[in-house]
Amino acid sequence: AAFRDFMILCRTKSQVEVYRDALRARHIPVNASGQHDLSDTLPVARCALWCDFLLHPRNPVAAVQLLDSAGVSPAQIFAVQQHTGCDLMTLLRTDAPEIANLPDGLSAPARMLARMRRAQRLCAELPPSALVEELLSGDFGLWDGADRRQDFSWVCQYLAILRRAPDQSLHGLLGRAVQLAHSSLERQLDSEPD
């Protein structure tokens, strides 16, 4: 018998997670279905943080949450501010030349700040749905450390729902992306990544 010939039925999500983790640890392919919190899907959760930041570009809390999700610590943010003499919001509004001269230990925060400025520019250059797709497919760190095979179908389902959202304005779609990321769905797609 092949792995695909077996099915395990569980009553709760926590039971599914126990089996899924145990089978994966033994390199046995698993396709878990049922209710799923989209915020448990790392790329979707990170996309929501990006969308929240783009919705509130002048909110330092949204910026710090996004930096934190990328592994940039408050101490690193403070060090960048000390080194450049600029506050965080100024660093996000301009391509401060001082960022190019940061010591090697601050290269990761500098790269993330550059990504954040690039995403802000894309808001004016791309249609909102293309912006969200670029966040999920571009170099914005959403897939770093994510289980691509397990998360791919959830990301596809997330994008499909966003494409059908009635309000396709920038604020409408970004707001819906944040809201949707904090909801539960049933698996509808059985897609595999390319």
Side-chain angles (χ1 to χ4, degrees), residues 105-183:
L106 297 176
S107 60
R111 280 192 307 274
M112 187 60 184
L113 288 167
R115 284 176 175 166
M116 292 167 79
R117 286 191 307 275
R118 192 171 108 230
Q120 288 176 316
R121 286 191 302 270
L122 288 175
C123 284
E125 297 171 6
L126 294 175
S129 59
L131 171 65
V132 174
E133 291 194 30
E134 177 63 22
L135 288 173
L136 283 159
S137 64
D139 179 32
F140 291 94
L142 274 65
W143 289 91
D144 296 349
D147 180 356
R148 187 162 171 78
R149 292 181 57 101
Q150 180 68 21
D151 294 339
F152 184 75
S153 64
W154 292 114
V155 169
C156 289
Q157 190 169 341
Y158 178 70
L159 285 172
I161 293 169
L162 289 175
R163 286 185 199 111
R164 293 189 308 267
D167 185 355
Q168 291 289 314
S169 69
L170 180 65
H171 284 274
L173 195 64
L174 293 179
R176 179 69 178 127
V178 172
Q179 178 190 33
L180 181 60
H182 298 290
S183 64

Side-chain angles (χ1 to χ4, degrees), residues 50-90:
W50 275 97
C51 291
D52 189 48
F53 164 70
L54 294 173
L55 266 173
H56 308 102
R58 291 179 176 85
N59 182 342
V61 173
V64 169
Q65 287 176 331
L66 182 56
L67 286 162
D68 181 61
S69 76
V72 177
S73 70
Q76 289 174 307
I77 297 169
F78 182 73
V80 170
Q81 291 172 327
Q82 291 295 101
H83 192 277
T84 61
C86 299
D87 65 50
L88 177 59
M89 302 320 288
T90 301

